Amino acid sequence: MVDQLSPLTPVLRSGRYARDDHSVGVTLAEVQPGSIVQLSAWPGQQAGILAAIREVMGLFVPGGAGSGVATETKSAFGFAPGKFLVSDQEEGFSVAFADAVGPDAGTVTDLSHGRTVIRIAGPKAEWVLAKFFAVDFSEPALAVGSGISTVHHDIFAQIQRTGADQFDVYVFRSFARSFWNSLRHASEEVGYEVE
Amino acid sequence: MIITCPFCGPRDSSEFVYREEGGRTRPDPASTDQAAWNAYVYERVNTAGDHEEIWQHSGGCRSHLRVLRNTVTHKILDVTLARETGKAEKPA
């Protein structure tokens, strides 16, 4: 298997960048899924896409607005009507989905090389993300597993809540380094640790 | 200004793009009626009050929306997915 290259390599420096009182409010890390795939249903064909996600990944996505599910290694969430973003630590899922999603059901787009996934976790994760996105990140508004699509200064981003205080942010690969640096600066206030 | 997208929920208006006046019907593409095309392309009602509009949630789910907005107060009165009606008119 070919090693994955990350656009964050020149700037990702592991370590603890704590506040004066040695506390850290968030942990930043890059998640490197082997597969990131966008699934889009033709009108009225959403059930076929949800069935394909169950078949290929074993994940049950309820299908309501923004609903999703996340495990240690897999995730899936709806980010638009009839559109879903799925990721897995294993490679090759776009091929599996191309077999499972017929041409009558919708389309499969492999985004594995087009997105970088940055994980922000910790008690201040909501606080730091709120500096970037005009979105309600509280748990009643964005439940665990749920995802959204939004923008940061007109740059598209998709965000999934993968834990009570953990979020995975999907950004364009070419934008990832800039976003990472912005995220570090925004996290300085609360102290942060880079994994 | 906050627009409540039927899919994404309440979002800042900067995530949305105004597309056009709603409730308009394009002439038959085969038509050569210049007056009808002129009216469709150039003439606008310019309502002062409740105004039907087509917006796109370009910074979110990218859905086209039918928005009822008051052009005097900028209050958003109603938002539905444009695809639900197939045109800009509010479903009955």
Side-chain angles (χ1 to χ4, degrees), chain B residues 32-66:
Chain B
T32 56
D33 182 347
Q34 292 212 6
W37 279 107
N38 184 72
Y40 175 72
V41 174
Y42 293 110
E43 292 178 6
R44 297 291 181 270
V45 179
N46 199 22
T47 307
D50 294 352
H51 189 231
E52 197 173 307
E53 302 170 337
I54 298 296
W55 290 65
Q56 187 185 16
H57 193 187
S58 56
C61 65
R62 306 194 68 81
S63 296
H64 284 88
L65 308 173
R66 173 207 161 276

PDB file of all heavy atoms in Angstrom, chain B residues 32-66:
ATOM      1  N   THR B  32     -40.900  32.428 -30.023  1.00  0.00           N
ATOM      2  CA  THR B  32     -40.158  33.571 -30.572  1.00  0.00           C
ATOM      3  C   THR B  32     -40.876  34.876 -30.246  1.00  0.00           C
ATOM      4  O   THR B  32     -40.622  35.906 -30.872  1.00  0.00           O
ATOM      5  CB  THR B  32     -39.995  33.433 -32.100  1.00  0.00           C
ATOM      6  OG1 THR B  32     -41.292  33.283 -32.677  1.00  0.00           O
ATOM      7  CG2 THR B  32     -39.132  32.247 -32.461  1.00  0.00           C
ATOM      8  N   ASP B  33     -41.749  34.817 -29.280  1.00  0.00           N
ATOM      9  CA  ASP B  33     -42.490  36.001 -28.861  1.00  0.00           C
ATOM     10  C   ASP B  33     -41.543  36.935 -28.103  1.00  0.00           C
ATOM     11  O   ASP B  33     -41.247  36.728 -26.931  1.00  0.00           O
ATOM     12  CB  ASP B  33     -43.661  35.560 -27.973  1.00  0.00           C
ATOM     13  CG  ASP B  33     -44.508  36.754 -27.532  1.00  0.00           C
ATOM     14  OD1 ASP B  33     -44.056  37.907 -27.692  1.00  0.00           O
ATOM     15  OD2 ASP B  33     -45.615  36.517 -27.023  1.00  0.00           O
ATOM     16  N   GLN B  34     -41.053  37.973 -28.790  1.00  0.00           N
ATOM     17  CA  GLN B  34     -40.038  38.836 -28.185  1.00  0.00           C
ATOM     18  C   GLN B  34     -40.568  39.594 -26.981  1.00  0.00           C
ATOM     19  O   GLN B  34     -39.834  39.837 -26.022  1.00  0.00           O
ATOM     20  CB  GLN B  34     -39.516  39.814 -29.231  1.00  0.00           C
ATOM     21  CG  GLN B  34     -38.717  39.115 -30.317  1.00  0.00           C
ATOM     22  CD  GLN B  34     -37.617  39.992 -30.856  1.00  0.00           C
ATOM     23  OE1 GLN B  34     -37.373  41.071 -30.371  1.00  0.00           O
ATOM     24  NE2 GLN B  34     -36.947  39.501 -31.881  1.00  0.00           N
ATOM     25  N   ALA B  35     -41.837  39.956 -27.021  1.00  0.00           N
ATOM     26  CA  ALA B  35     -42.416  40.690 -25.889  1.00  0.00           C
ATOM     27  C   ALA B  35     -42.436  39.811 -24.643  1.00  0.00           C
ATOM     28  O   ALA B  35     -42.121  40.261 -23.537  1.00  0.00           O
ATOM     29  CB  ALA B  35     -43.825  41.155 -26.247  1.00  0.00           C
ATOM     30  N   ALA B  36     -42.769  38.518 -24.845  1.00  0.00           N
ATOM     31  CA  ALA B  36     -42.814  37.593 -23.708  1.00  0.00           C
ATOM     32  C   ALA B  36     -41.405  37.387 -23.135  1.00  0.00           C
ATOM     33  O   ALA B  36     -41.212  37.388 -21.918  1.00  0.00           O
ATOM     34  CB  ALA B  36     -43.409  36.262 -24.150  1.00  0.00           C
ATOM     35  N   TRP B  37     -40.418  37.220 -23.998  1.00  0.00           N
ATOM     36  CA  TRP B  37     -39.044  37.029 -23.526  1.00  0.00           C
ATOM     37  C   TRP B  37     -38.504  38.285 -22.853  1.00  0.00           C
ATOM     38  O   TRP B  37     -37.817  38.216 -21.834  1.00  0.00           O
ATOM     39  CB  TRP B  37     -38.127  36.609 -24.683  1.00  0.00           C
ATOM     40  CG  TRP B  37     -38.231  35.145 -24.971  1.00  0.00           C
ATOM     41  CD1 TRP B  37     -38.828  34.559 -26.031  1.00  0.00           C
ATOM     42  CD2 TRP B  37     -37.735  34.091 -24.148  1.00  0.00           C
ATOM     43  NE1 TRP B  37     -38.741  33.190 -25.934  1.00  0.00           N
ATOM     44  CE2 TRP B  37     -38.072  32.876 -24.785  1.00  0.00           C
ATOM     45  CE3 TRP B  37     -37.053  34.038 -22.932  1.00  0.00           C
ATOM     46  CZ2 TRP B  37     -37.741  31.631 -24.258  1.00  0.00           C
ATOM     47  CZ3 TRP B  37     -36.718  32.801 -22.400  1.00  0.00           C
ATOM     48  CH2 TRP B  37     -37.071  31.612 -23.064  1.00  0.00           C
ATOM     49  N   ASN B  38     -38.827  39.434 -23.428  1.00  0.00           N
ATOM     50  CA  ASN B  38     -38.381  40.698 -22.845  1.00  0.00           C
ATOM     51  C   ASN B  38     -38.949  40.846 -21.438  1.00  0.00           C
ATOM     52  O   ASN B  38     -38.246  41.217 -20.491  1.00  0.00           O
ATOM     53  CB  ASN B  38     -38.826  41.869 -23.724  1.00  0.00           C
ATOM     54  CG  ASN B  38     -38.284  43.184 -23.193  1.00  0.00           C
ATOM     55  OD1 ASN B  38     -37.101  43.465 -23.298  1.00  0.00           O
ATOM     56  ND2 ASN B  38     -39.158  43.985 -22.602  1.00  0.00           N
ATOM     57  N   ALA B  39     -40.233  40.506 -21.304  1.00  0.00           N
ATOM     58  CA  ALA B  39     -40.875  40.615 -19.992  1.00  0.00           C
ATOM     59  C   ALA B  39     -40.236  39.648 -19.002  1.00  0.00           C
ATOM     60  O   ALA B  39     -39.985  40.002 -17.839  1.00  0.00           O
ATOM     61  CB  ALA B  39     -42.371  40.323 -20.127  1.00  0.00           C
ATOM     62  N   TYR B  40     -39.929  38.431 -19.471  1.00  0.00           N
ATOM     63  CA  TYR B  40     -39.366  37.422 -18.569  1.00  0.00           C
ATOM     64  C   TYR B  40     -37.947  37.795 -18.121  1.00  0.00           C
ATOM     65  O   TYR B  40     -37.577  37.646 -16.956  1.00  0.00           O
ATOM     66  CB  TYR B  40     -39.352  36.060 -19.264  1.00  0.00           C
ATOM     67  CG  TYR B  40     -38.683  34.990 -18.430  1.00  0.00           C
ATOM     68  CD1 TYR B  40     -39.307  34.478 -17.299  1.00  0.00           C
ATOM     69  CD2 TYR B  40     -37.411  34.517 -18.751  1.00  0.00           C
ATOM     70  CE1 TYR B  40     -38.701  33.524 -16.518  1.00  0.00           C
ATOM     71  CE2 TYR B  40     -36.796  33.554 -17.978  1.00  0.00           C
ATOM     72  CZ  TYR B  40     -37.442  33.063 -16.860  1.00  0.00           C
ATOM     73  OH  TYR B  40     -36.830  32.120 -16.087  1.00  0.00           O
ATOM     74  N   VAL B  41     -37.161  38.302 -19.067  1.00  0.00           N
ATOM     75  CA  VAL B  41     -35.751  38.552 -18.761  1.00  0.00           C
ATOM     76  C   VAL B  41     -35.557  39.867 -18.007  1.00  0.00           C
ATOM     77  O   VAL B  41     -34.747  39.947 -17.080  1.00  0.00           O
ATOM     78  CB  VAL B  41     -34.912  38.553 -20.064  1.00  0.00           C
ATOM     79  CG1 VAL B  41     -33.473  38.960 -19.778  1.00  0.00           C
ATOM     80  CG2 VAL B  41     -34.949  37.177 -20.714  1.00  0.00           C
ATOM     81  N   TYR B  42     -36.308  40.902 -18.388  1.00  0.00           N
ATOM     82  CA  TYR B  42     -35.977  42.240 -17.878  1.00  0.00           C
ATOM     83  C   TYR B  42     -36.969  42.823 -16.878  1.00  0.00           C
ATOM     84  O   TYR B  42     -36.589  43.643 -16.050  1.00  0.00           O
ATOM     85  CB  TYR B  42     -35.830  43.212 -19.045  1.00  0.00           C
ATOM     86  CG  TYR B  42     -34.642  42.890 -19.915  1.00  0.00           C
ATOM     87  CD1 TYR B  42     -34.822  42.400 -21.208  1.00  0.00           C
ATOM     88  CD2 TYR B  42     -33.336  43.052 -19.448  1.00  0.00           C
ATOM     89  CE1 TYR B  42     -33.745  42.092 -22.007  1.00  0.00           C
ATOM     90  CE2 TYR B  42     -32.253  42.742 -20.238  1.00  0.00           C
ATOM     91  CZ  TYR B  42     -32.462  42.259 -21.526  1.00  0.00           C
ATOM     92  OH  TYR B  42     -31.390  41.938 -22.297  1.00  0.00           O
ATOM     93  N   GLU B  43     -38.212  42.450 -16.973  1.00  0.00           N
ATOM     94  CA  GLU B  43     -39.206  43.153 -16.160  1.00  0.00           C
ATOM     95  C   GLU B  43     -39.333  42.529 -14.776  1.00  0.00           C
ATOM     96  O   GLU B  43     -39.453  41.310 -14.645  1.00  0.00           O
ATOM     97  CB  GLU B  43     -40.565  43.146 -16.881  1.00  0.00           C
ATOM     98  CG  GLU B  43     -40.542  44.004 -18.139  1.00  0.00           C
ATOM     99  CD  GLU B  43     -41.861  43.971 -18.889  1.00  0.00           C
ATOM    100  OE1 GLU B  43     -42.832  43.373 -18.378  1.00  0.00           O
ATOM    101  OE2 GLU B  43     -41.902  44.520 -20.000  1.00  0.00           O
ATOM    102  N   ARG B  44     -39.268  43.394 -13.755  1.00  0.00           N
ATOM    103  CA  ARG B  44     -39.391  42.935 -12.377  1.00  0.00           C
ATOM    104  C   ARG B  44     -40.489  43.728 -11.679  1.00  0.00           C
ATOM    105  O   ARG B  44     -40.713  44.893 -12.000  1.00  0.00           O
ATOM    106  CB  ARG B  44     -38.072  43.130 -11.624  1.00  0.00           C
ATOM    107  CG  ARG B  44     -36.913  42.308 -12.187  1.00  0.00           C
ATOM    108  CD  ARG B  44     -37.137  40.825 -11.924  1.00  0.00           C
ATOM    109  NE  ARG B  44     -36.037  40.013 -12.430  1.00  0.00           N
ATOM    110  CZ  ARG B  44     -35.986  39.502 -13.651  1.00  0.00           C
ATOM    111  NH1 ARG B  44     -36.968  39.726 -14.508  1.00  0.00           N
ATOM    112  NH2 ARG B  44     -34.959  38.762 -14.041  1.00  0.00           N
ATOM    113  N   VAL B  45     -41.098  43.112 -10.683  1.00  0.00           N
ATOM    114  CA  VAL B  45     -42.211  43.745  -9.997  1.00  0.00           C
ATOM    115  C   VAL B  45     -41.728  44.816  -9.024  1.00  0.00           C
ATOM    116  O   VAL B  45     -42.351  45.840  -8.820  1.00  0.00           O
ATOM    117  CB  VAL B  45     -43.046  42.678  -9.244  1.00  0.00           C
ATOM    118  CG1 VAL B  45     -44.196  43.331  -8.500  1.00  0.00           C
ATOM    119  CG2 VAL B  45     -43.570  41.647 -10.236  1.00  0.00           C
ATOM    120  N   ASN B  46     -40.544  44.573  -8.406  1.00  0.00           N
ATOM    121  CA  ASN B  46     -39.959  45.511  -7.433  1.00  0.00           C
ATOM    122  C   ASN B  46     -40.927  45.809  -6.299  1.00  0.00           C
ATOM    123  O   ASN B  46     -41.240  46.961  -5.987  1.00  0.00           O
ATOM    124  CB  ASN B  46     -39.543  46.811  -8.141  1.00  0.00           C
ATOM    125  CG  ASN B  46     -38.541  47.584  -7.296  1.00  0.00           C
ATOM    126  OD1 ASN B  46     -37.876  47.002  -6.442  1.00  0.00           O
ATOM    127  ND2 ASN B  46     -38.428  48.879  -7.534  1.00  0.00           N
ATOM    128  N   THR B  47     -41.371  44.736  -5.670  1.00  0.00           N
ATOM    129  CA  THR B  47     -42.364  44.838  -4.604  1.00  0.00           C
ATOM    130  C   THR B  47     -41.803  45.532  -3.368  1.00  0.00           C
ATOM    131  O   THR B  47     -40.669  45.281  -2.976  1.00  0.00           O
ATOM    132  CB  THR B  47     -42.822  43.418  -4.210  1.00  0.00           C
ATOM    133  OG1 THR B  47     -43.237  42.735  -5.389  1.00  0.00           O
ATOM    134  CG2 THR B  47     -43.944  43.455  -3.194  1.00  0.00           C
ATOM    135  N   ALA B  48     -42.590  46.385  -2.764  1.00  0.00           N
ATOM    136  CA  ALA B  48     -42.281  46.910  -1.429  1.00  0.00           C
ATOM    137  C   ALA B  48     -43.212  46.195  -0.463  1.00  0.00           C
ATOM    138  O   ALA B  48     -44.363  46.586  -0.280  1.00  0.00           O
ATOM    139  CB  ALA B  48     -42.486  48.415  -1.376  1.00  0.00           C
ATOM    140  N   GLY B  49     -42.698  45.116   0.141  1.00  0.00           N
ATOM    141  CA  GLY B  49     -43.549  44.310   1.020  1.00  0.00           C
ATOM    142  C   GLY B  49     -43.154  42.847   0.876  1.00  0.00           C
ATOM    143  O   GLY B  49     -41.999  42.540   0.581  1.00  0.00           O
ATOM    144  N   ASP B  50     -44.105  41.962   1.089  1.00  0.00           N
ATOM    145  CA  ASP B  50     -43.814  40.536   0.992  1.00  0.00           C
ATOM    146  C   ASP B  50     -43.444  40.165  -0.443  1.00  0.00           C
ATOM    147  O   ASP B  50     -44.191  40.461  -1.380  1.00  0.00           O
ATOM    148  CB  ASP B  50     -45.032  39.718   1.442  1.00  0.00           C
ATOM    149  CG  ASP B  50     -45.315  39.913   2.915  1.00  0.00           C
ATOM    150  OD1 ASP B  50     -44.494  40.545   3.601  1.00  0.00           O
ATOM    151  OD2 ASP B  50     -46.373  39.446   3.386  1.00  0.00           O
ATOM    152  N   HIS B  51     -42.293  39.507  -0.571  1.00  0.00           N
ATOM    153  CA  HIS B  51     -41.732  39.265  -1.901  1.00  0.00           C
ATOM    154  C   HIS B  51     -41.262  37.817  -1.989  1.00  0.00           C
ATOM    155  O   HIS B  51     -40.537  37.341  -1.115  1.00  0.00           O
ATOM    156  CB  HIS B  51     -40.547  40.215  -2.113  1.00  0.00           C
ATOM    157  CG  HIS B  51     -40.024  40.219  -3.512  1.00  0.00           C
ATOM    158  ND1 HIS B  51     -38.685  40.057  -3.787  1.00  0.00           N
ATOM    159  CD2 HIS B  51     -40.640  40.364  -4.699  1.00  0.00           C
ATOM    160  CE1 HIS B  51     -38.516  40.111  -5.104  1.00  0.00           C
ATOM    161  NE2 HIS B  51     -39.678  40.300  -5.676  1.00  0.00           N
ATOM    162  N   GLU B  52     -41.689  37.149  -3.042  1.00  0.00           N
ATOM    163  CA  GLU B  52     -41.296  35.746  -3.231  1.00  0.00           C
ATOM    164  C   GLU B  52     -39.989  35.689  -4.006  1.00  0.00           C
ATOM    165  O   GLU B  52     -39.857  36.314  -5.059  1.00  0.00           O
ATOM    166  CB  GLU B  52     -42.403  35.027  -3.986  1.00  0.00           C
ATOM    167  CG  GLU B  52     -42.314  33.533  -3.888  1.00  0.00           C
ATOM    168  CD  GLU B  52     -43.548  32.909  -4.523  1.00  0.00           C
ATOM    169  OE1 GLU B  52     -44.669  33.292  -4.143  1.00  0.00           O
ATOM    170  OE2 GLU B  52     -43.377  32.074  -5.413  1.00  0.00           O
ATOM    171  N   GLU B  53     -39.017  34.945  -3.487  1.00  0.00           N
ATOM    172  CA  GLU B  53     -37.686  34.941  -4.081  1.00  0.00           C
ATOM    173  C   GLU B  53     -37.122  33.522  -4.143  1.00  0.00           C
ATOM    174  O   GLU B  53     -37.511  32.652  -3.367  1.00  0.00           O
ATOM    175  CB  GLU B  53     -36.731  35.807  -3.236  1.00  0.00           C
ATOM    176  CG  GLU B  53     -37.209  37.240  -3.101  1.00  0.00           C
ATOM    177  CD  GLU B  53     -36.424  38.032  -2.077  1.00  0.00           C
ATOM    178  OE1 GLU B  53     -35.826  37.416  -1.167  1.00  0.00           O
ATOM    179  OE2 GLU B  53     -36.415  39.266  -2.193  1.00  0.00           O
ATOM    180  N   ILE B  54     -36.190  33.329  -5.044  1.00  0.00           N
ATOM    181  CA  ILE B  54     -35.438  32.075  -5.092  1.00  0.00           C
ATOM    182  C   ILE B  54     -34.020  32.358  -4.599  1.00  0.00           C
ATOM    183  O   ILE B  54     -33.342  33.245  -5.118  1.00  0.00           O
ATOM    184  CB  ILE B  54     -35.387  31.503  -6.526  1.00  0.00           C
ATOM    185  CG1 ILE B  54     -36.792  31.186  -7.032  1.00  0.00           C
ATOM    186  CG2 ILE B  54     -34.523  30.241  -6.555  1.00  0.00           C
ATOM    187  CD1 ILE B  54     -37.516  30.118  -6.271  1.00  0.00           C
ATOM    188  N   TRP B  55     -33.599  31.626  -3.570  1.00  0.00           N
ATOM    189  CA  TRP B  55     -32.245  31.727  -3.034  1.00  0.00           C
ATOM    190  C   TRP B  55     -31.599  30.347  -3.155  1.00  0.00           C
ATOM    191  O   TRP B  55     -32.282  29.333  -3.298  1.00  0.00           O
ATOM    192  CB  TRP B  55     -32.268  32.123  -1.548  1.00  0.00           C
ATOM    193  CG  TRP B  55     -32.699  33.531  -1.259  1.00  0.00           C
ATOM    194  CD1 TRP B  55     -33.917  34.088  -1.475  1.00  0.00           C
ATOM    195  CD2 TRP B  55     -31.885  34.561  -0.670  1.00  0.00           C
ATOM    196  NE1 TRP B  55     -33.934  35.387  -1.057  1.00  0.00           N
ATOM    197  CE2 TRP B  55     -32.709  35.715  -0.560  1.00  0.00           C
ATOM    198  CE3 TRP B  55     -30.570  34.623  -0.215  1.00  0.00           C
ATOM    199  CZ2 TRP B  55     -32.233  36.912  -0.022  1.00  0.00           C
ATOM    200  CZ3 TRP B  55     -30.110  35.816   0.322  1.00  0.00           C
ATOM    201  CH2 TRP B  55     -30.926  36.942   0.414  1.00  0.00           C
ATOM    202  N   GLN B  56     -30.279  30.331  -3.070  1.00  0.00           N
ATOM    203  CA  GLN B  56     -29.591  29.051  -2.977  1.00  0.00           C
ATOM    204  C   GLN B  56     -28.723  29.031  -1.727  1.00  0.00           C
ATOM    205  O   GLN B  56     -28.005  30.004  -1.451  1.00  0.00           O
ATOM    206  CB  GLN B  56     -28.699  28.786  -4.201  1.00  0.00           C
ATOM    207  CG  GLN B  56     -28.129  27.366  -4.165  1.00  0.00           C
ATOM    208  CD  GLN B  56     -27.145  27.080  -5.268  1.00  0.00           C
ATOM    209  OE1 GLN B  56     -26.638  27.993  -5.906  1.00  0.00           O
ATOM    210  NE2 GLN B  56     -26.851  25.825  -5.493  1.00  0.00           N
ATOM    211  N   HIS B  57     -28.784  27.931  -0.995  1.00  0.00           N
ATOM    212  CA  HIS B  57     -27.931  27.789   0.185  1.00  0.00           C
ATOM    213  C   HIS B  57     -26.554  27.303  -0.276  1.00  0.00           C
ATOM    214  O   HIS B  57     -26.151  26.176  -0.028  1.00  0.00           O
ATOM    215  CB  HIS B  57     -28.551  26.806   1.187  1.00  0.00           C
ATOM    216  CG  HIS B  57     -27.886  26.853   2.526  1.00  0.00           C
ATOM    217  ND1 HIS B  57     -28.179  25.977   3.534  1.00  0.00           N
ATOM    218  CD2 HIS B  57     -26.938  27.699   3.027  1.00  0.00           C
ATOM    219  CE1 HIS B  57     -27.437  26.259   4.599  1.00  0.00           C
ATOM    220  NE2 HIS B  57     -26.666  27.301   4.309  1.00  0.00           N
ATOM    221  N   SER B  58     -25.854  28.211  -0.965  1.00  0.00           N
ATOM    222  CA  SER B  58     -24.590  27.830  -1.615  1.00  0.00           C
ATOM    223  C   SER B  58     -23.507  27.479  -0.598  1.00  0.00           C
ATOM    224  O   SER B  58     -22.610  26.705  -0.890  1.00  0.00           O
ATOM    225  CB  SER B  58     -24.107  28.957  -2.526  1.00  0.00           C
ATOM    226  OG  SER B  58     -23.979  30.148  -1.773  1.00  0.00           O
ATOM    227  N   GLY B  59     -23.580  28.046   0.598  1.00  0.00           N
ATOM    228  CA  GLY B  59     -22.587  27.734   1.626  1.00  0.00           C
ATOM    229  C   GLY B  59     -23.087  26.686   2.593  1.00  0.00           C
ATOM    230  O   GLY B  59     -22.686  26.656   3.756  1.00  0.00           O
ATOM    231  N   GLY B  60     -23.935  25.799   2.113  1.00  0.00           N
ATOM    232  CA  GLY B  60     -24.465  24.749   2.975  1.00  0.00           C
ATOM    233  C   GLY B  60     -24.863  23.559   2.139  1.00  0.00           C
ATOM    234  O   GLY B  60     -24.043  22.984   1.437  1.00  0.00           O
ATOM    235  N   CYS B  61     -26.164  23.239   2.165  1.00  0.00           N
ATOM    236  CA  CYS B  61     -26.616  22.038   1.465  1.00  0.00           C
ATOM    237  C   CYS B  61     -26.800  22.270  -0.038  1.00  0.00           C
ATOM    238  O   CYS B  61     -27.097  21.344  -0.774  1.00  0.00           O
ATOM    239  CB  CYS B  61     -27.926  21.547   2.076  1.00  0.00           C
ATOM    240  SG  CYS B  61     -29.306  22.694   1.872  1.00  0.00           S
ATOM    241  N   ARG B  62     -26.632  23.496  -0.484  1.00  0.00           N
ATOM    242  CA  ARG B  62     -26.697  23.869  -1.897  1.00  0.00           C
ATOM    243  C   ARG B  62     -28.096  23.715  -2.492  1.00  0.00           C
ATOM    244  O   ARG B  62     -28.258  23.729  -3.717  1.00  0.00           O
ATOM    245  CB  ARG B  62     -25.677  23.095  -2.738  1.00  0.00           C
ATOM    246  CG  ARG B  62     -24.261  23.216  -2.229  1.00  0.00           C
ATOM    247  CD  ARG B  62     -23.233  22.748  -3.220  1.00  0.00           C
ATOM    248  NE  ARG B  62     -23.154  23.605  -4.368  1.00  0.00           N
ATOM    249  CZ  ARG B  62     -22.490  24.748  -4.427  1.00  0.00           C
ATOM    250  NH1 ARG B  62     -21.838  25.167  -3.381  1.00  0.00           N
ATOM    251  NH2 ARG B  62     -22.478  25.482  -5.523  1.00  0.00           N
ATOM    252  N   SER B  63     -29.109  23.584  -1.641  1.00  0.00           N
ATOM    253  CA  SER B  63     -30.479  23.491  -2.138  1.00  0.00           C
ATOM    254  C   SER B  63     -30.962  24.855  -2.606  1.00  0.00           C
ATOM    255  O   SER B  63     -30.588  25.890  -2.050  1.00  0.00           O
ATOM    256  CB  SER B  63     -31.419  23.008  -1.029  1.00  0.00           C
ATOM    257  OG  SER B  63     -31.101  21.713  -0.635  1.00  0.00           O
ATOM    258  N   HIS B  64     -31.824  24.839  -3.633  1.00  0.00           N
ATOM    259  CA  HIS B  64     -32.520  26.055  -4.025  1.00  0.00           C
ATOM    260  C   HIS B  64     -33.756  26.201  -3.141  1.00  0.00           C
ATOM    261  O   HIS B  64     -34.464  25.230  -2.890  1.00  0.00           O
ATOM    262  CB  HIS B  64     -32.910  25.994  -5.504  1.00  0.00           C
ATOM    263  CG  HIS B  64     -31.746  26.225  -6.407  1.00  0.00           C
ATOM    264  ND1 HIS B  64     -30.920  25.221  -6.837  1.00  0.00           N
ATOM    265  CD2 HIS B  64     -31.244  27.375  -6.949  1.00  0.00           C
ATOM    266  CE1 HIS B  64     -29.971  25.724  -7.601  1.00  0.00           C
ATOM    267  NE2 HIS B  64     -30.135  27.029  -7.697  1.00  0.00           N
ATOM    268  N   LEU B  65     -33.967  27.403  -2.676  1.00  0.00           N
ATOM    269  CA  LEU B  65     -35.027  27.645  -1.711  1.00  0.00           C
ATOM    270  C   LEU B  65     -36.007  28.682  -2.231  1.00  0.00           C
ATOM    271  O   LEU B  65     -35.625  29.615  -2.943  1.00  0.00           O
ATOM    272  CB  LEU B  65     -34.430  28.158  -0.387  1.00  0.00           C
ATOM    273  CG  LEU B  65     -33.314  27.317   0.223  1.00  0.00           C
ATOM    274  CD1 LEU B  65     -32.720  28.048   1.418  1.00  0.00           C
ATOM    275  CD2 LEU B  65     -33.829  25.967   0.653  1.00  0.00           C
ATOM    276  N   ARG B  66     -37.248  28.490  -1.869  1.00  0.00           N
ATOM    277  CA  ARG B  66     -38.242  29.521  -2.124  1.00  0.00           C
ATOM    278  C   ARG B  66     -38.410  30.289  -0.825  1.00  0.00           C
ATOM    279  O   ARG B  66     -38.771  29.724   0.202  1.00  0.00           O
ATOM    280  CB  ARG B  66     -39.575  28.884  -2.525  1.00  0.00           C
ATOM    281  CG  ARG B  66     -40.708  29.868  -2.637  1.00  0.00           C
ATOM    282  CD  ARG B  66     -42.033  29.176  -2.371  1.00  0.00           C
ATOM    283  NE  ARG B  66     -43.041  30.168  -2.027  1.00  0.00           N
ATOM    284  CZ  ARG B  66     -43.213  30.657  -0.805  1.00  0.00           C
ATOM    285  NH1 ARG B  66     -42.458  30.264   0.194  1.00  0.00           N
ATOM    286  NH2 ARG B  66     -44.147  31.553  -0.574  1.00  0.00           N
TER     287      ARG B  66
END
